[in-house]
Amino acid sequence: MLSLNELWFILVAVLFIGFFFLEGFDFGVGMSTRFLAKNDMERRVLINSIGPFWDANEVWLLTAGGAMFAAFPNWYATLFSGYYTPLVVLLLALIGRGVAFEFRGKGKSQRWKNTWDLAIFLGSLLPPFLLGVVFSGLLKGLPIDSDMEMKAGLFDMVNLYTLIGGITVVVLCLVHGLLFTTLRTTGSLQERARKLAHKLLIPLAALFVIFGVMTYFQTDVFEVRALPLTLIAVVGLGAFLLAGRFISKKRDGWAFGMTGTLIALSISSVFIGLFPRVMVSSISEAYSLTIHNAASGPYSLKIMTIVALTLLPFVLGYQIWSYFVFHKRINEKEHLEY
């Protein structure tokens, strides 16, 4: 029977999968405003395509962090203190991005718009890159001592493996966002988004292969979870090939579903590779944080489970409702809020 520790590990994983699936596409749209849009009106169309969704999507990250804090306080403390600087940069990027969405249309000068456009681009680029670096670091292992303190230097956090991981997440989110654009726009903008998404599949495939090979040689996840990770790789290959096929056939909804599947499989593989660990110590396996030594007490986990199961249907219901209400395609003739 599933223990509460295992249940909350799965819930944290699900929250991060939901975050990357939903926020991944609006990160991608935010990045594409820099080079896909040919004029200010097209840039506004892109921003408005994610306008009703981006803030609710970010709630998944806050909820995942809150769940880690409550269910696995030692995991939260070690991760957030060890990665203090990159996570602060990530937070500032998200704040700047949110402010830019609201402020961009409040001024008329081109310098004003250019400033906030840069904030949207950096605020969409840095979070997936930094989270990719962090998640890659969790797989590779970090210098965590017997007191659960992470004493990592710059090259423990930023090295070739984690850089490839960060870039892979960025390109995956960009392709996911371009396919979301095909679902929300019309005309030449839609067609350019589809073509660019198709072109990016080749570099994305190369990044997946490089990261997978490096993961095999530089981590132990294939030693401890060989069968499930191999199955995930096979299913992921199928989803990747189908994404290319659906893009060629202009079946944009199915293509978007396939890149969403790739995101879900990628994040799942991180958590499956770690389990039952939550952070791997590069000093000694005995110092690794697990779902047992990093967890809250049984009473806390029990109360949290009751609260989560009570509130979760309302949160999911609201988000589904918002996507239903704002499902209409956007073009230059529509009222543009941002």
Side-chain angles (χ1 to χ4, degrees):
M1 184 177 177
L2 202 66
S3 70
L4 288 178
N5 302 58
E6 292 167 336
L7 173 64
W8 275 96
F9 180 79
I10 294 171
L11 287 176
V12 170
V14 169
L15 288 168
F16 274 110
I17 291 169
F19 168 73
F20 278 101
F21 184 98
L22 296 172
E23 188 78 340
F25 71 70
D26 71 54
F27 282 148
V29 173
M31 285 185 269
S32 71
T33 57
R34 199 69 177 174
F35 47 82
L36 184 65
K38 287 186 174 180
N39 52 50
D40 185 63
M41 181 56 73
E42 287 192 348
R43 196 164 290 115
R44 289 189 68 194
V45 169
L46 288 174
I47 294 171
N48 277 269
S49 73
I50 57 173
F53 312 122
W54 67 268
D55 48 356
N57 293 343
E58 287 185 3
V59 170
W60 285 76
L61 179 63
L62 299 176
T63 309
M68 287 174 64
F69 173 75
F72 302 103
N74 291 328
W75 183 11
Y76 180 92
T78 303
L79 178 68
F80 280 76
S81 60
Y83 276 112
Y84 184 80
T85 301
L87 292 179
V88 166
V89 173
L90 184 151
L91 183 61
L92 292 175
L94 289 177
I95 292 172
R97 180 174 181 262
V99 172
F101 284 139
E102 300 297 332
F103 278 27
R104 185 184 184 280
K106 306 298 183 187
K108 299 296 182 184
S109 75
Q110 194 58 47
R111 176 179 292 184
W112 175 269
K113 290 182 179 179
N114 290 344
T115 300
W116 294 117
D117 285 345
L118 180 61
I120 290 173
F121 175 71
L122 294 177
S124 302
L125 173 69
L126 289 175
F129 174 74
L130 292 171
L131 287 171
V133 168
V134 170
F135 274 85
S136 303
L138 296 184
L139 289 173
K140 185 176 174 63
L142 295 152
I144 300 170
D145 64 19
S146 58
D147 295 323
M148 298 185 181
E149 290 187 13
M150 176 177 150
K151 298 178 178 176
L154 176 63
F155 295 110
D156 292 312
M157 293 186 283
V158 183
N159 48 63
L160 183 59
Y161 179 71
T162 59
L163 284 174
I164 293 294
I167 295 170
T168 303
V169 175
V170 167
V171 177
L172 180 56
C173 288
L174 179 56
V175 174
H176 196 45
L178 289 169
L179 291 175
F180 181 77
T181 299
T182 66
L183 296 174
R184 293 279 287 157
T185 61
T186 59
S188 64
L189 183 61
Q190 180 195 39
E191 187 60 30
R192 273 182 274 132
R194 188 182 293 123
K195 287 182 178 177
L196 183 56
H198 198 255
K199 286 181 180 177
L200 286 172
L201 287 181
I202 293 176
L204 179 60
L207 286 165
F208 268 129
V209 171
I210 294 170
F211 187 72
V213 171
M214 293 181 77
T215 300
Y216 183 84
F217 287 106
Q218 297 193 20
T219 76
D220 65 354
V221 297
F222 279 97
E223 295 177 21
V224 296
R225 292 286 179 270
L227 180 59
L229 291 180
T230 303
L231 290 175
I232 285 176
V234 172
V235 176
L237 176 61
F240 186 89
L241 295 174
L242 284 174
R245 179 72 173 171
F246 288 135
I247 294 173
S248 300
K249 296 290 184 182
K250 298 186 179 181
R251 300 178 70 178
D252 301 319
W254 284 100
F256 177 75
M258 290 302 104
T259 53
T261 301
L262 282 173
I263 288 176
L265 291 172
S266 300
I267 304 304
S268 298
S269 65
V270 172
F271 282 87
I272 290 172
L274 285 172
F275 184 81
R277 303 164 299 181
V278 292
M279 291 186 76
V280 178
S281 172
S282 59
I283 299 175
S284 169
E285 181 61 32
Y287 300 156
S288 294
L289 275 66
T290 70
I291 62 170
H292 302 292
N293 65 15
S296 294
Y299 181 75
S300 298
L301 293 176
K302 182 179 178 181
I303 296 298
M304 288 170 56
T305 304
I306 295 171
V307 172
L309 293 178
T310 304
L311 296 179
L312 191 61
F314 295 98
V315 175
L316 293 177
Y318 167 76
Q319 197 138 30
I320 294 170
W321 175 79
S322 68
Y323 277 92
F324 174 75
V325 169
F326 297 105
H327 70 280
K328 188 178 178 184
R329 292 181 185 271
I330 295 176
N331 57 46
E332 293 87 343
K333 299 176 183 176
E334 300 288 334
H335 169 69
L336 299 178
E337 182 71 22
Y338 299 97

